[in-house]
Amino acid sequence: MNLDQNRPNDISRSSASSRSRDWIKQNFWSLMALAAVIGICAFIVQHFKKPGQMSVIESQAMDMSAMQPPRGAVPVAIATVERETIEGSVTYTGTVQAYEDEDVFPRLTGRIVSMPVYPGDTVKKGQLLVQLDPTDRSEYASKLSESRYASEAAMNNASIARQELSEKSYELEAAKFAESAAADELQQAKSDLEYWSPEIKREVNLLKGQVISQQEYDDELNKYNQASAKVRQLVAKQNQAKSTRLAANAAYEAAAHHVGHIAFAAREAEAATLTADITHSYTRIQAQSDGVVVKRLVSPGVVVNPGMLILKISHLKKVRVQAEVASVDADKITVGNTVYIKSSELADDQIEANITSIFPAADVSTRTVIVEALVDNTGPRLSDKGSSSRTLPNLSSFRLLPGDYVVMRISTGKENALVIPSSAVVWREGKSQVWRAVGSGGTDDTKYTCVMHPQIKADKPGKCPICGMTLVPMTSSGNLSAHLTAITTGVSDDQNTEVTSGLSEGDQIIYQGYSSLENGLPVIATEWGESGPVTLPTVSKVQTNRLDSDNKWTNDIKLEGMHLHLIMLPQPPKGSNNKLRCTILSLDSKAVIGASISAKTTMPAMSMPGPDLSAIEKGKGNYELTTNFMSGLWQIILRVNNQTTTINVDIP
């Protein structure tokens, strides 16, 4: 059963195989012809394709990202390390503050009736700032008038009291004179009584002895009694004079006390008047010194109380410029150091001042120290290049205004040292480095590669073993190469930096254009401007093996033991009608005779080989290679006595 079912399939396969053999027999010669054509085409492509050409499959399989064109010399700005005096400095942003700020407060309660100043106005010392209440109808004016009247009355009373005191003084003097006169009279009377007292005793004895008569005795006794009576009378008079004097003295003292009381009352009234006058003057608030109104907090018509802030005035003839400086930099700064103040990094104008104060305590949160310079602020407004400054006509006579942002470059001292442009310093991982421009080591170390196959590297020119293209130098033949060098820096200013180790005087360093450099990369010195190279170097300057219009198709090449001077003729060379003249001299400048010179040529841009050349000796070390180069860039691999060098020639 199964065998019968499989038999039709076997018959079908046998029939198909028979048909295939019949088709091949019928088309045998056609297939052979096609194979022949394919073989011939493959032979032609393989043997006649230009160097660098690839098949479709090869081109699709090739990694184009692996292509590496030869590196050219990088244009850079180069400076020479020199020894000169450098003023070390640190730069910080700062803020301007007024020398003094005057806060204007009222000293009494009142309504503002006039405020003739506004923020931005300049004021002079003594100028009216605020008027409280009317000058002639305020309560303070009434109190002043009342005090003046009371003072005048007290002064009048004091004058009257002084007049009364003068009268009492006269009365006291009269009492004293009367008392003195009574004392004199009493003394005289006592003298008379002293005479009559012994005399009457003698008269008594004489009467008893009947020497005198009774009449005579009575006369003498009568005189004695009169003298005694007079003494008693004068004693009474003296006591009365004394009482009068004491009364006059008491009256004088009472008058003097009254005068003192009245004088005190007068002084008190005078003081009250002065107080009232001062209080009244507080209704006129005046500027204490010259300044600028920077803030007005209330308007006219408002009732203000003592201690309420009305105006803020800044004194701007001098200003304080302050910067918060890191402690490590503050240690290098001393009072008296020079500071240069600008309105911005790009500004042309600057103010030169001196550090006047260094605050002793550092900020606990930022660890910074305030460094301050006191600046004479009279002069034209400090300009700010590239930005718009505030236009305030009233303040045009001040160089800086409170709150201005400034840049402060603070000097840390001067030193004579090796210096380089600050822009040359490269910071990597906290370490300072510079790119040195070092002279090249000649052409002996030139390496060659294939543009299409960069893995191919050779020590001399030749062909790529993969694609057959001419090998090209891996780097252009610049006369300087870049090398990264570690240095130690010292003080810096806004342009230069001190180098304490790593460089020597006369070294060449790169200060612009090094962002994409690698160690050993050729470089060329170029004039540098603010936005980059002023002019890019010509090809002949970048490639020292190039002959073109920039060097008038001439060049000098050094080989081992000889110098080659090359020149294309005519000048300028013309397409299809030119020749290369080579003058060979020894190192002692003698002509080299009998040299063997040959050359292979190619057009690199077109991957097209040119003619092979051989030189004809013209004598005195001169050799000529006749060519028929058409216009374009040609590469000549010149072989001189088994030494090889590559030359690029631009034929116009």
Coordinates of all heavy atoms in Angstrom, one line a residue, residues 90 92 325-333 362 366-369 412:
V90 N 44.2 89.7 43.8 CA 43.0 88.8 43.8 C 41.8 89.6 43.4 O 41.8 90.8 43.7 CB 42.8 88.2 45.2 CG1 43.9 87.2 45.5 CG2 42.7 89.2 46.3
Y92 N 37.7 90.2 43.3 CA 36.4 89.9 43.8 C 35.4 90.9 43.4 O 35.7 92.0 43.0 CB 36.5 89.9 45.4 CG 37.2 88.7 46.0 CD1 38.6 88.7 46.1 CD2 36.5 87.5 46.3 CE1 39.2 87.6 46.7 CE2 37.1 86.5 46.9 CZ 38.5 86.5 47.0 OH 39.1 85.4 47.6
V325 N 36.0 88.7 51.0 CA 37.2 88.0 50.5 C 37.4 86.7 51.3 O 37.2 86.7 52.6 CB 38.4 88.9 50.7 CG1 39.7 88.2 50.3 CG2 38.2 90.2 49.9
A326 N 37.8 85.7 50.6 CA 38.1 84.4 51.3 C 39.2 84.6 52.3 O 40.1 85.4 52.0 CB 38.4 83.3 50.2
S327 N 39.2 83.8 53.3 CA 40.2 84.0 54.4 C 41.6 83.8 53.9 O 42.5 84.5 54.3 CB 39.8 83.0 55.6 OG 38.6 83.3 56.1
V328 N 41.8 82.8 53.0 CA 43.1 82.5 52.5 C 43.7 83.7 51.7 O 44.9 83.9 51.7 CB 43.1 81.2 51.6 CG1 42.2 81.4 50.4 CG2 44.5 80.8 51.3
D329 N 42.8 84.5 51.0 CA 43.2 85.6 50.3 C 43.4 86.8 51.2 O 44.2 87.7 51.0 CB 42.3 86.0 49.1 CG 42.4 84.9 48.0 OD1 43.4 84.3 47.9 OD2 41.4 84.8 47.3
A330 N 42.5 86.9 52.2 CA 42.5 88.0 53.1 C 43.9 88.1 53.9 O 44.3 89.2 54.3 CB 41.4 88.0 54.1
D331 N 44.5 86.9 54.1 CA 45.8 86.9 54.8 C 46.9 87.6 54.0 O 47.9 87.9 54.6 CB 46.1 85.4 55.1 CG 45.2 84.7 56.1 OD1 44.5 85.5 56.9 OD2 45.1 83.5 56.1
K332 N 46.7 87.7 52.7 CA 47.7 88.3 51.9 C 47.5 89.8 51.8 O 48.4 90.5 51.2 CB 47.7 87.7 50.5 CG 47.8 86.2 50.4 CD 47.6 85.7 49.0 CE 47.5 84.2 48.9 NZ 47.2 83.7 47.5
I333 N 46.4 90.3 52.3 CA 46.1 91.7 52.1 C 46.3 92.5 53.4 O 46.0 92.0 54.5 CB 44.6 91.9 51.7 CG1 44.3 91.1 50.4 CG2 44.2 93.3 51.5 CD1 42.8 91.0 50.0
A362 N 35.6 87.0 60.7 CA 35.1 86.4 59.5 C 33.7 86.0 59.7 O 33.2 85.7 60.8 CB 36.0 85.2 59.1
T366 N 30.0 81.9 55.7 CA 30.8 81.9 54.4 C 32.3 81.9 54.6 O 33.0 81.6 53.7 CB 30.4 83.1 53.6 OG1 30.8 84.3 54.4 CG2 28.9 83.2 53.3
R367 N 32.8 82.1 55.8 CA 34.2 82.1 56.1 C 34.9 83.2 55.3 O 36.0 83.0 54.8 CB 34.9 80.8 55.9 CG 34.3 79.6 56.7 CD 34.4 79.8 58.1 NE 33.8 78.8 58.9 CZ 33.6 78.8 60.2 NH1 34.0 79.8 60.9 NH2 33.1 77.8 60.9
T368 N 34.3 84.3 55.1 CA 34.8 85.4 54.3 C 35.0 86.6 55.2 O 34.4 86.7 56.3 CB 33.9 85.8 53.1 OG1 32.6 86.1 53.6 CG2 33.8 84.7 52.1
V369 N 35.9 87.4 54.8 CA 36.3 88.6 55.6 C 36.0 89.9 54.7 O 36.3 89.9 53.5 CB 37.8 88.6 56.0 CG1 38.2 89.9 56.6 CG2 38.1 87.5 56.9
T412 N 48.2 92.2 46.2 CA 48.8 91.5 47.3 C 50.3 91.6 47.4 O 51.0 90.9 48.2 CB 48.5 90.0 47.2 OG1 48.9 89.5 45.9 CG2 46.9 89.8 47.2

